[in-house]
Amino acid sequence: MSGGLPVATIWDRHRLGITVGSVVLIFLGAIEALAVTTVMPLVAADLHGEALYAVAFAGTLATGVIGMVVAGAWSDRSGPRAPLYTAVVLFIAGLLIAGVATDMYVVILGRLIQGLGAGGQTVALYVVVARVYPPQLHGRIFAAFAAAWVVPSMIGPFLAGAVAQYLHWRWTFLGVAVLTVIAFILVIVRLRAVDLNAHPDASPDQQAAAPDGGRIGLRIILAVVVAIAAVAVGFAADAAPAIGWPLALVSIVVIAFAIKPLLPAGSLRAAPRLPSVVLMRGLVAGAFFAAEAYVPKMLMERFDFSPTIAGLALTAAALAWSGASAVQGRYGEQLGSRRMVVISAALLLIAFLGLAVVASTHALPWAVVVLWGIAGGAMGLLYPRLTVLTLAYSTPADEGFNSSALSISDATGSAVTIAVAGLLFVSLPFTGSGFPVVFALAAAVLLVASIPGLRIGDGPGAIDADAVSAASVSDPRRG
């Protein structure tokens, strides 16, 4: 109690339903993201969609960029209610379509729609937080969101494998859809009487800082172009090599031109400081998530692991990611950003090359779990550091743009690298499979990422310890 009035919390009776519903939505999105990685090898095998395996991941990430940009602009214009409701409906629709699909193309359609919803849902929920919770509660609600990712990281892959093994892979989509409907109803009921309009006392400077319609429209168009081109790279694996490779190359060039205005100036040429931070984030994300997509697939197809046991590799990485994030939050400032980059890159390179050796020799399958745990730990050291550096290099006037750029780089880098990995997997089998080539690609992209990594600097000054700690416990998959 304070002055006779109850102390506001995220769990008080006015916000309890919104808090629970929002956290559950984040939780289910996390469960689904991890579940798909575990069960997609079964989906592709069951529906004879080997060539489209990678685009099932890349497409969702690509359309997520559209969802983020549209939801952000829509929320600024008219509040987050309609964008949130639309995004959740799209997420549910995508899950249902994928869950009842009878061929791989329908699964991909569902995944594309799901990506639109997932990207928009996250952004809209963040705006809801800004409108519903006072500033002093923001740290607590975002900590709850982070916890909603940590738990699925630990149990999601194993649970998804068990569902696929003992029920059917379709329930990893349909089950999450049903639970999302329940959480969505709770959010609707609790938000019905809440005013989600922008604060009426916004200053003229804040109103003037809002992006104009022309700039918003351009960003949406560019996001759509990036997404279409990234999906085209994925579909190149399903075409004849004479068509697939030129299509992939042209699409990558289109992405490079379209994404340039969405990133800080100089990002694509690895200009020092912030541009290099944003570029490195996209490259490292691409290397890690491209390799991750093929880890459970290799364990199941090459070493006959069950889906449940194959998911343990992802669990090991998630646990190591969370633990390493806490370590960097405590000791990262002492080590410095450049040293952190070198340590993380070295660990990732060991993991990728080790996986390539296992894939080539068909030996020591349990080493995959250890190696992927090392990779997860390396990401836990690096990912939050890049988030904090982005904020350290930002001012109040460009925090929104730079944060958006980091997410766009992350999603686009992942989508493109996963798509290219799919093309290489199908086109260049080595020692009887494409797995060694995929992990070699991840190592190559990581080496390219070391170029901006050596130019990121240590921030304009001492980095706030509280900011480091906050980033350390944030979403352990997306830092």
Side-chain angles (χ1 to χ4, degrees), residues 382-407:
L382 182 60
Y383 238 52
R385 196 70 184 179
L386 296 178
T387 302
V388 173
L389 278 176
T390 299
L391 297 178
Y393 285 130
S394 302
T395 66
D398 59 15
E399 284 176 343
F401 176 82
N402 291 342
S403 298
S404 172
L406 194 69
S407 296

PDB file of all heavy atoms in Angstrom, residues 382-407:
ATOM      1  N   LEU A 382      26.064 -13.484 -27.564  1.00  0.00           N
ATOM      2  CA  LEU A 382      26.137 -12.454 -28.593  1.00  0.00           C
ATOM      3  C   LEU A 382      24.834 -11.684 -28.804  1.00  0.00           C
ATOM      4  O   LEU A 382      24.848 -10.449 -28.930  1.00  0.00           O
ATOM      5  CB  LEU A 382      26.570 -13.100 -29.915  1.00  0.00           C
ATOM      6  CG  LEU A 382      26.759 -12.165 -31.110  1.00  0.00           C
ATOM      7  CD1 LEU A 382      27.843 -11.128 -30.811  1.00  0.00           C
ATOM      8  CD2 LEU A 382      27.129 -12.958 -32.351  1.00  0.00           C
ATOM      9  N   TYR A 383      23.715 -12.385 -28.857  1.00  0.00           N
ATOM     10  CA  TYR A 383      22.455 -11.762 -29.265  1.00  0.00           C
ATOM     11  C   TYR A 383      22.045 -10.585 -28.379  1.00  0.00           C
ATOM     12  O   TYR A 383      21.757  -9.494 -28.876  1.00  0.00           O
ATOM     13  CB  TYR A 383      21.357 -12.831 -29.276  1.00  0.00           C
ATOM     14  CG  TYR A 383      20.670 -12.995 -30.613  1.00  0.00           C
ATOM     15  CD1 TYR A 383      21.401 -13.200 -31.764  1.00  0.00           C
ATOM     16  CD2 TYR A 383      19.288 -12.978 -30.709  1.00  0.00           C
ATOM     17  CE1 TYR A 383      20.767 -13.381 -32.982  1.00  0.00           C
ATOM     18  CE2 TYR A 383      18.646 -13.155 -31.922  1.00  0.00           C
ATOM     19  CZ  TYR A 383      19.386 -13.355 -33.049  1.00  0.00           C
ATOM     20  OH  TYR A 383      18.758 -13.522 -34.248  1.00  0.00           O
ATOM     21  N   PRO A 384      21.991 -10.767 -27.050  1.00  0.00           N
ATOM     22  CA  PRO A 384      21.593  -9.627 -26.211  1.00  0.00           C
ATOM     23  C   PRO A 384      22.560  -8.460 -26.322  1.00  0.00           C
ATOM     24  O   PRO A 384      22.159  -7.308 -26.214  1.00  0.00           O
ATOM     25  CB  PRO A 384      21.580 -10.214 -24.794  1.00  0.00           C
ATOM     26  CG  PRO A 384      21.478 -11.686 -24.979  1.00  0.00           C
ATOM     27  CD  PRO A 384      22.203 -11.985 -26.257  1.00  0.00           C
ATOM     28  N   ARG A 385      23.837  -8.779 -26.539  1.00  0.00           N
ATOM     29  CA  ARG A 385      24.835  -7.709 -26.653  1.00  0.00           C
ATOM     30  C   ARG A 385      24.526  -6.826 -27.853  1.00  0.00           C
ATOM     31  O   ARG A 385      24.653  -5.589 -27.793  1.00  0.00           O
ATOM     32  CB  ARG A 385      26.228  -8.323 -26.796  1.00  0.00           C
ATOM     33  CG  ARG A 385      27.356  -7.342 -26.550  1.00  0.00           C
ATOM     34  CD  ARG A 385      27.401  -6.975 -25.096  1.00  0.00           C
ATOM     35  NE  ARG A 385      28.416  -5.964 -24.822  1.00  0.00           N
ATOM     36  CZ  ARG A 385      28.632  -5.460 -23.622  1.00  0.00           C
ATOM     37  NH1 ARG A 385      27.924  -5.870 -22.602  1.00  0.00           N
ATOM     38  NH2 ARG A 385      29.568  -4.560 -23.435  1.00  0.00           N
ATOM     39  N   LEU A 386      24.133  -7.421 -28.968  1.00  0.00           N
ATOM     40  CA  LEU A 386      23.811  -6.643 -30.159  1.00  0.00           C
ATOM     41  C   LEU A 386      22.558  -5.800 -29.938  1.00  0.00           C
ATOM     42  O   LEU A 386      22.452  -4.673 -30.436  1.00  0.00           O
ATOM     43  CB  LEU A 386      23.626  -7.581 -31.359  1.00  0.00           C
ATOM     44  CG  LEU A 386      24.870  -8.363 -31.788  1.00  0.00           C
ATOM     45  CD1 LEU A 386      24.557  -9.282 -32.956  1.00  0.00           C
ATOM     46  CD2 LEU A 386      26.015  -7.426 -32.143  1.00  0.00           C
ATOM     47  N   THR A 387      21.596  -6.324 -29.184  1.00  0.00           N
ATOM     48  CA  THR A 387      20.394  -5.552 -28.858  1.00  0.00           C
ATOM     49  C   THR A 387      20.755  -4.319 -28.043  1.00  0.00           C
ATOM     50  O   THR A 387      20.305  -3.202 -28.330  1.00  0.00           O
ATOM     51  CB  THR A 387      19.400  -6.416 -28.072  1.00  0.00           C
ATOM     52  OG1 THR A 387      19.060  -7.563 -28.838  1.00  0.00           O
ATOM     53  CG2 THR A 387      18.134  -5.637 -27.754  1.00  0.00           C
ATOM     54  N   VAL A 388      21.577  -4.509 -27.022  1.00  0.00           N
ATOM     55  CA  VAL A 388      21.961  -3.399 -26.152  1.00  0.00           C
ATOM     56  C   VAL A 388      22.777  -2.368 -26.922  1.00  0.00           C
ATOM     57  O   VAL A 388      22.601  -1.163 -26.754  1.00  0.00           O
ATOM     58  CB  VAL A 388      22.746  -3.930 -24.933  1.00  0.00           C
ATOM     59  CG1 VAL A 388      23.307  -2.779 -24.114  1.00  0.00           C
ATOM     60  CG2 VAL A 388      21.838  -4.784 -24.066  1.00  0.00           C
ATOM     61  N   LEU A 389      23.678  -2.817 -27.783  1.00  0.00           N
ATOM     62  CA  LEU A 389      24.469  -1.878 -28.585  1.00  0.00           C
ATOM     63  C   LEU A 389      23.578  -1.047 -29.499  1.00  0.00           C
ATOM     64  O   LEU A 389      23.828   0.144 -29.708  1.00  0.00           O
ATOM     65  CB  LEU A 389      25.507  -2.644 -29.417  1.00  0.00           C
ATOM     66  CG  LEU A 389      26.801  -3.036 -28.700  1.00  0.00           C
ATOM     67  CD1 LEU A 389      27.669  -3.879 -29.626  1.00  0.00           C
ATOM     68  CD2 LEU A 389      27.565  -1.803 -28.238  1.00  0.00           C
ATOM     69  N   THR A 390      22.541  -1.677 -30.056  1.00  0.00           N
ATOM     70  CA  THR A 390      21.621  -0.919 -30.910  1.00  0.00           C
ATOM     71  C   THR A 390      20.988   0.224 -30.137  1.00  0.00           C
ATOM     72  O   THR A 390      20.922   1.362 -30.624  1.00  0.00           O
ATOM     73  CB  THR A 390      20.523  -1.849 -31.469  1.00  0.00           C
ATOM     74  OG1 THR A 390      21.130  -2.872 -32.253  1.00  0.00           O
ATOM     75  CG2 THR A 390      19.530  -1.073 -32.329  1.00  0.00           C
ATOM     76  N   LEU A 391      20.519  -0.061 -28.935  1.00  0.00           N
ATOM     77  CA  LEU A 391      19.914   0.994 -28.113  1.00  0.00           C
ATOM     78  C   LEU A 391      20.958   2.021 -27.683  1.00  0.00           C
ATOM     79  O   LEU A 391      20.668   3.223 -27.598  1.00  0.00           O
ATOM     80  CB  LEU A 391      19.244   0.377 -26.886  1.00  0.00           C
ATOM     81  CG  LEU A 391      18.081  -0.571 -27.186  1.00  0.00           C
ATOM     82  CD1 LEU A 391      17.537  -1.167 -25.893  1.00  0.00           C
ATOM     83  CD2 LEU A 391      16.972   0.166 -27.935  1.00  0.00           C
ATOM     84  N   ALA A 392      22.188   1.577 -27.409  1.00  0.00           N
ATOM     85  CA  ALA A 392      23.235   2.495 -26.980  1.00  0.00           C
ATOM     86  C   ALA A 392      23.606   3.482 -28.091  1.00  0.00           C
ATOM     87  O   ALA A 392      23.960   4.633 -27.816  1.00  0.00           O
ATOM     88  CB  ALA A 392      24.472   1.705 -26.551  1.00  0.00           C
ATOM     89  N   TYR A 393      23.526   3.043 -29.342  1.00  0.00           N
ATOM     90  CA  TYR A 393      23.845   3.911 -30.467  1.00  0.00           C
ATOM     91  C   TYR A 393      22.637   4.738 -30.929  1.00  0.00           C
ATOM     92  O   TYR A 393      22.748   5.500 -31.896  1.00  0.00           O
ATOM     93  CB  TYR A 393      24.349   3.083 -31.650  1.00  0.00           C
ATOM     94  CG  TYR A 393      25.763   2.568 -31.498  1.00  0.00           C
ATOM     95  CD1 TYR A 393      26.054   1.227 -31.711  1.00  0.00           C
ATOM     96  CD2 TYR A 393      26.803   3.424 -31.148  1.00  0.00           C
ATOM     97  CE1 TYR A 393      27.343   0.742 -31.583  1.00  0.00           C
ATOM     98  CE2 TYR A 393      28.098   2.948 -31.027  1.00  0.00           C
ATOM     99  CZ  TYR A 393      28.368   1.614 -31.236  1.00  0.00           C
ATOM    100  OH  TYR A 393      29.653   1.144 -31.115  1.00  0.00           O
ATOM    101  N   SER A 394      21.491   4.585 -30.291  1.00  0.00           N
ATOM    102  CA  SER A 394      20.263   5.254 -30.718  1.00  0.00           C
ATOM    103  C   SER A 394      19.978   6.479 -29.857  1.00  0.00           C
ATOM    104  O   SER A 394      20.435   6.590 -28.720  1.00  0.00           O
ATOM    105  CB  SER A 394      19.070   4.289 -30.653  1.00  0.00           C
ATOM    106  OG  SER A 394      19.283   3.152 -31.455  1.00  0.00           O
ATOM    107  N   THR A 395      19.189   7.380 -30.415  1.00  0.00           N
ATOM    108  CA  THR A 395      18.684   8.542 -29.687  1.00  0.00           C
ATOM    109  C   THR A 395      17.158   8.422 -29.621  1.00  0.00           C
ATOM    110  O   THR A 395      16.560   7.620 -30.341  1.00  0.00           O
ATOM    111  CB  THR A 395      19.062   9.843 -30.405  1.00  0.00           C
ATOM    112  OG1 THR A 395      18.366   9.893 -31.672  1.00  0.00           O
ATOM    113  CG2 THR A 395      20.564   9.910 -30.667  1.00  0.00           C
ATOM    114  N   PRO A 396      16.496   9.225 -28.766  1.00  0.00           N
ATOM    115  CA  PRO A 396      15.026   9.158 -28.722  1.00  0.00           C
ATOM    116  C   PRO A 396      14.380   9.367 -30.087  1.00  0.00           C
ATOM    117  O   PRO A 396      13.280   8.853 -30.331  1.00  0.00           O
ATOM    118  CB  PRO A 396      14.663  10.280 -27.745  1.00  0.00           C
ATOM    119  CG  PRO A 396      15.844  10.367 -26.830  1.00  0.00           C
ATOM    120  CD  PRO A 396      17.036  10.111 -27.707  1.00  0.00           C
ATOM    121  N   ALA A 397      15.053  10.086 -30.980  1.00  0.00           N
ATOM    122  CA  ALA A 397      14.463  10.374 -32.285  1.00  0.00           C
ATOM    123  C   ALA A 397      14.513   9.177 -33.234  1.00  0.00           C
ATOM    124  O   ALA A 397      13.733   9.106 -34.184  1.00  0.00           O
ATOM    125  CB  ALA A 397      15.173  11.563 -32.930  1.00  0.00           C
ATOM    126  N   ASP A 398      15.438   8.222 -32.999  1.00  0.00           N
ATOM    127  CA  ASP A 398      15.550   7.108 -33.950  1.00  0.00           C
ATOM    128  C   ASP A 398      15.512   5.738 -33.275  1.00  0.00           C
ATOM    129  O   ASP A 398      15.854   4.732 -33.900  1.00  0.00           O
ATOM    130  CB  ASP A 398      16.827   7.240 -34.795  1.00  0.00           C
ATOM    131  CG  ASP A 398      18.106   7.265 -33.960  1.00  0.00           C
ATOM    132  OD1 ASP A 398      18.055   6.909 -32.767  1.00  0.00           O
ATOM    133  OD2 ASP A 398      19.151   7.643 -34.515  1.00  0.00           O
ATOM    134  N   GLU A 399      15.108   5.671 -32.017  1.00  0.00           N
ATOM    135  CA  GLU A 399      15.020   4.378 -31.335  1.00  0.00           C
ATOM    136  C   GLU A 399      14.070   3.425 -32.040  1.00  0.00           C
ATOM    137  O   GLU A 399      14.365   2.240 -32.211  1.00  0.00           O
ATOM    138  CB  GLU A 399      14.550   4.575 -29.892  1.00  0.00           C
ATOM    139  CG  GLU A 399      15.619   5.100 -28.958  1.00  0.00           C
ATOM    140  CD  GLU A 399      15.085   5.361 -27.563  1.00  0.00           C
ATOM    141  OE1 GLU A 399      13.852   5.448 -27.411  1.00  0.00           O
ATOM    142  OE2 GLU A 399      15.896   5.471 -26.638  1.00  0.00           O
ATOM    143  N   GLY A 400      12.912   3.942 -32.453  1.00  0.00           N
ATOM    144  CA  GLY A 400      11.932   3.097 -33.120  1.00  0.00           C
ATOM    145  C   GLY A 400      12.456   2.553 -34.435  1.00  0.00           C
ATOM    146  O   GLY A 400      12.334   1.362 -34.720  1.00  0.00           O
ATOM    147  N   PHE A 401      13.051   3.417 -35.247  1.00  0.00           N
ATOM    148  CA  PHE A 401      13.572   2.987 -36.544  1.00  0.00           C
ATOM    149  C   PHE A 401      14.680   1.954 -36.367  1.00  0.00           C
ATOM    150  O   PHE A 401      14.711   0.922 -37.045  1.00  0.00           O
ATOM    151  CB  PHE A 401      14.108   4.183 -37.329  1.00  0.00           C
ATOM    152  CG  PHE A 401      14.761   3.807 -38.637  1.00  0.00           C
ATOM    153  CD1 PHE A 401      13.999   3.575 -39.766  1.00  0.00           C
ATOM    154  CD2 PHE A 401      16.139   3.660 -38.724  1.00  0.00           C
ATOM    155  CE1 PHE A 401      14.588   3.208 -40.968  1.00  0.00           C
ATOM    156  CE2 PHE A 401      16.748   3.299 -39.915  1.00  0.00           C
ATOM    157  CZ  PHE A 401      15.971   3.069 -41.043  1.00  0.00           C
ATOM    158  N   ASN A 402      15.599   2.221 -35.441  1.00  0.00           N
ATOM    159  CA  ASN A 402      16.731   1.315 -35.259  1.00  0.00           C
ATOM    160  C   ASN A 402      16.289  -0.035 -34.697  1.00  0.00           C
ATOM    161  O   ASN A 402      16.799  -1.083 -35.101  1.00  0.00           O
ATOM    162  CB  ASN A 402      17.765   1.953 -34.337  1.00  0.00           C
ATOM    163  CG  ASN A 402      18.458   3.145 -34.974  1.00  0.00           C
ATOM    164  OD1 ASN A 402      18.433   3.307 -36.193  1.00  0.00           O
ATOM    165  ND2 ASN A 402      19.055   3.995 -34.166  1.00  0.00           N
ATOM    166  N   SER A 403      15.339  -0.023 -33.769  1.00  0.00           N
ATOM    167  CA  SER A 403      14.826  -1.283 -33.226  1.00  0.00           C
ATOM    168  C   SER A 403      14.123  -2.081 -34.315  1.00  0.00           C
ATOM    169  O   SER A 403      14.268  -3.306 -34.412  1.00  0.00           O
ATOM    170  CB  SER A 403      13.864  -1.012 -32.071  1.00  0.00           C
ATOM    171  OG  SER A 403      14.528  -0.361 -31.002  1.00  0.00           O
ATOM    172  N   SER A 404      13.338  -1.383 -35.138  1.00  0.00           N
ATOM    173  CA  SER A 404      12.673  -2.046 -36.259  1.00  0.00           C
ATOM    174  C   SER A 404      13.696  -2.613 -37.239  1.00  0.00           C
ATOM    175  O   SER A 404      13.555  -3.732 -37.728  1.00  0.00           O
ATOM    176  CB  SER A 404      11.750  -1.052 -36.968  1.00  0.00           C
ATOM    177  OG  SER A 404      11.224  -1.603 -38.158  1.00  0.00           O
ATOM    178  N   ALA A 405      14.749  -1.838 -37.504  1.00  0.00           N
ATOM    179  CA  ALA A 405      15.786  -2.287 -38.434  1.00  0.00           C
ATOM    180  C   ALA A 405      16.464  -3.552 -37.934  1.00  0.00           C
ATOM    181  O   ALA A 405      16.773  -4.464 -38.711  1.00  0.00           O
ATOM    182  CB  ALA A 405      16.823  -1.182 -38.635  1.00  0.00           C
ATOM    183  N   LEU A 406      16.693  -3.639 -36.628  1.00  0.00           N
ATOM    184  CA  LEU A 406      17.325  -4.822 -36.059  1.00  0.00           C
ATOM    185  C   LEU A 406      16.444  -6.053 -36.277  1.00  0.00           C
ATOM    186  O   LEU A 406      16.925  -7.121 -36.659  1.00  0.00           O
ATOM    187  CB  LEU A 406      17.582  -4.603 -34.569  1.00  0.00           C
ATOM    188  CG  LEU A 406      18.516  -5.600 -33.894  1.00  0.00           C
ATOM    189  CD1 LEU A 406      19.939  -5.428 -34.399  1.00  0.00           C
ATOM    190  CD2 LEU A 406      18.476  -5.442 -32.375  1.00  0.00           C
ATOM    191  N   SER A 407      15.135  -5.899 -36.046  1.00  0.00           N
ATOM    192  CA  SER A 407      14.205  -7.017 -36.250  1.00  0.00           C
ATOM    193  C   SER A 407      14.112  -7.399 -37.720  1.00  0.00           C
ATOM    194  O   SER A 407      14.057  -8.585 -38.067  1.00  0.00           O
ATOM    195  CB  SER A 407      12.814  -6.648 -35.713  1.00  0.00           C
ATOM    196  OG  SER A 407      12.845  -6.439 -34.324  1.00  0.00           O
TER     197      SER A 407
END
